[in-house]
Amino acid sequence: MFDTENVDVNADGGRYGRVRSRLDPLSMAAMAVTVVSVSATAPLTAAASAPPLAMAFWRNCLGFAVLGPLLLLLRRREVVRVARGERGVLRREQWRPLVFGFLAATALALHFAAFMTSTRLTSVAMSTALVATQPVWQALIAAGQGVRAPRRTWAGLALAVLGAAAAGGLDIRSGGTALLGDLLAVAGAVAQAGYTALSERSRADVSTPLYSTFTSLVCGLELLAVCLLAHIPLTGFDRSTQLSLLGLLVLPQILGLGSLNFALGRTSATTMSVLLLLETPVAALAAWWFMGQGIEPATVPGLLLIIVGVTVVVTSGSSAPATAEHGWHRGTGVAEIPPYPSYAPYTRRPLPVRPRLTFPAPAGRDPRVDWARRTGGDSPTVALALPTYHGAGAFDTVLLRVPRPEEAEPDRDQGNAIGDRCGRR
């Protein structure tokens, strides 16, 4: 489990420090704001009258229009380098991560479409509870990739599946649109887990802000294409729908994301993952208060089992991290160094040393040094970490990335200039 208490962060020119967990009143207030803001996603979507796919497009488009430029500004240097081709992002070995990026954006678009449609067909409580099972599907995907999960994780999976079956029992017996809504909510959870898994395969050479902006843009364009092909109207919404879209932008996208990132700087991602599971009861309460949408008493035990099961899955990684079959030597506790892929961060070549020099010219730090420091259970990206909630979309892992060493280094041109000056002495 990705825990901010155990992650090295880049500070003071490349030195690595520890993020401390502080549960002061300000942190607790940020956590409360995060849960309430995220919980508003499903009720606001269900209360709108626009087609769900149109809501999904505008939900993603407005978020990209507001946060996309900001994320690009955070990495404006990197954007310039990519535009000039200095980093060789489209080298032959980079086409594979690019394809995975497109697939991840497609999975994100499927998540938006499935989840926002499910809120119209089933209850808000069922929709949010079933979509919250994303860590369950993410663990299953990891198991399919050879990651060995602890028994506690499998126990949580069993509880979540049992709870989903119990909660959806009424919808299964009655059939109709409610059952279809439940299935779409599960499809939304699977798509979000697929987005996370695909993102791990494609984020080897770009920073999180740039990658988030890229996936959000592709996701919006795909949703726009579907709406145009299906002749879904994108304008002419009534006032309630416009207010719902504004609420989706302000609450989960801006306020929820901002308070989440603030809280992650003061507490662990495991704690936030568990707290975000409160989205189900809070969203159900909001739907009952503002929309008069009640909860069937027969579904309450199943909903509680889902929350308990997902909680077990989320917290199991912090006590017994899952390791790949090829990661740790059994009985020795020694981790193998994962192979350094060809599409990983750019490897700087040492600057040329002229014969008359008595000392080598300064060379850039080789990122393979940090890659070799990773243990078998680590990943260059977030794995089984904070569930990417449907309120933030592609912008939810802005501050969860392990910093890359090259971010604290001078530009390549500056390094060459230093080497030339040393050579002239």
Side-chain angles (χ1 to χ4, degrees):
M1 182 64 57
F2 189 91
D3 195 332
T4 53
E5 294 177 350
N6 300 321
V7 175
D8 292 330
V9 293
N10 201 352
D12 299 333
R15 291 185 299 158
Y16 288 83
R18 297 285 179 178
V19 177
R20 297 181 179 179
S21 178
R22 302 191 301 271
L23 288 180
D24 52 82
L26 188 59
S27 302
M28 298 177 65
M31 295 178 191
V33 171
T34 300
V35 173
V36 173
S37 300
V38 172
S39 302
T41 304
L44 287 173
T45 305
S49 60
L53 287 178
M55 290 286 295
F57 164 72
W58 283 112
R59 170 71 185 81
N60 188 83
C61 180
L62 292 175
F64 173 78
V66 173
L67 294 180
L70 175 62
L71 296 180
L72 288 177
L73 285 176
L74 294 176
R75 288 294 184 273
R76 56 185 180 275
R77 243 173 163 184
E78 182 183 8
V79 174
V80 172
R81 290 181 178 180
V82 171
R84 292 178 179 176
E86 294 180 9
R87 297 187 60 180
V89 172
L90 295 183
R91 297 190 302 268
R92 179 179 302 176
E93 60 269 23
Q94 286 302 106
W95 281 105
R96 183 169 173 265
L98 186 63
V99 171
F100 278 113
F102 273 103
L103 293 177
T106 303
L108 184 65
L110 291 175
H111 163 76
F112 274 112
F115 163 67
M116 301 187 86
T117 304
S118 70
T119 59
R120 306 287 183 85
L121 302 178
T122 188
S123 65
V124 168
M126 282 296 297
S127 179
T128 54
L130 293 175
V131 171
T133 60
Q134 177 228 333
V136 172
W137 303 104
Q138 192 173 339
L140 290 176
I141 292 175
Q145 294 175 340
V147 177
R148 299 177 59 187
R151 294 180 180 178
R152 185 177 174 183
T153 298
W154 293 110
L157 294 176
L159 286 177
V161 171
L162 182 62
L170 294 178
D171 295 339
I172 294 174
R173 287 193 295 268
S174 61
T177 58
L179 177 59
L180 179 59
D182 295 345
L183 295 177
L184 285 175
V186 173
V190 175
Q192 190 68 63
Y195 163 74
T196 304
L198 290 168
S199 295
E200 293 177 5
R201 305 291 298 274
S202 60
R203 283 182 45 210
D205 199 48
V206 294
S207 63
T208 297
L210 185 59
Y211 176 78
S212 299
T213 305
F214 166 76
T215 54
S216 184
L217 177 61
V218 174
C219 173
L221 292 177
E222 290 178 344
L223 290 172
L224 176 61
V226 171
C227 291
L228 294 179
L229 292 175
H231 303 286
I232 297 176
L234 297 176
T235 56
F237 303 146
D238 55 19
R239 187 172 183 81
S240 63
T241 300
Q242 295 175 359
L243 291 177
S244 295
L245 287 173
L246 181 61
L248 288 173
L249 175 63
V250 174
L251 289 176
Q253 187 70 52
I254 298 179
L255 190 59
L257 177 61
S259 57
L260 172 65
N261 286 334
F262 178 82
L264 284 175
R266 293 167 173 257
T267 187
S268 67
T270 303
T271 302
M272 287 305 304
S273 298
V274 175
L275 285 178
L276 283 177
L277 294 177
L278 295 175
E279 176 189 2
T280 299
V282 174
L285 180 62
W288 169 76
W289 184 268
F290 295 104
M291 302 170 56
Q293 188 179 100
I295 302 177
E296 293 290 341
T299 63
V300 174
L303 295 177
L304 293 178
L305 274 180
I306 292 175
I307 296 175
V308 172
V310 176
T311 302
V312 171
V313 173
V314 169
T315 57
S316 62
S318 59
S319 58
T323 58
E325 292 182 354
H326 61 274
W328 292 84
H329 293 293
R330 295 182 180 179
T332 63
V334 179
E336 294 179 350
I337 298 176
Y340 191 79
S342 58
Y343 56 82
Y346 171 82
T347 304
R348 297 174 181 268
R349 298 179 179 178
L351 294 176
V353 180
R354 301 190 179 185
R356 54 184 176 180
L357 287 179
T358 58
F359 56 91
R365 182 177 177 181
D366 194 333
R368 287 178 293 184
V369 174
D370 288 271
W371 188 278
R373 289 172 54 192
R374 300 185 184 276
T375 61
D378 290 339
S379 170
T381 55
V382 180
L384 282 180
L386 187 69
T388 46
Y389 62 88
H390 30 268
F395 301 101
D396 48 0
T397 55
V398 175
L399 298 183
L400 296 183
R401 182 177 60 86
V402 177
R404 287 167 55 184
E406 66 179 20
E407 293 180 357
E409 297 176 355
D411 290 340
R412 190 186 313 173
D413 296 338
Q414 182 180 354
N416 292 335
I418 295 175
D420 292 339
R421 287 198 298 269
C422 292
R424 285 194 296 266
R425 290 182 181 179

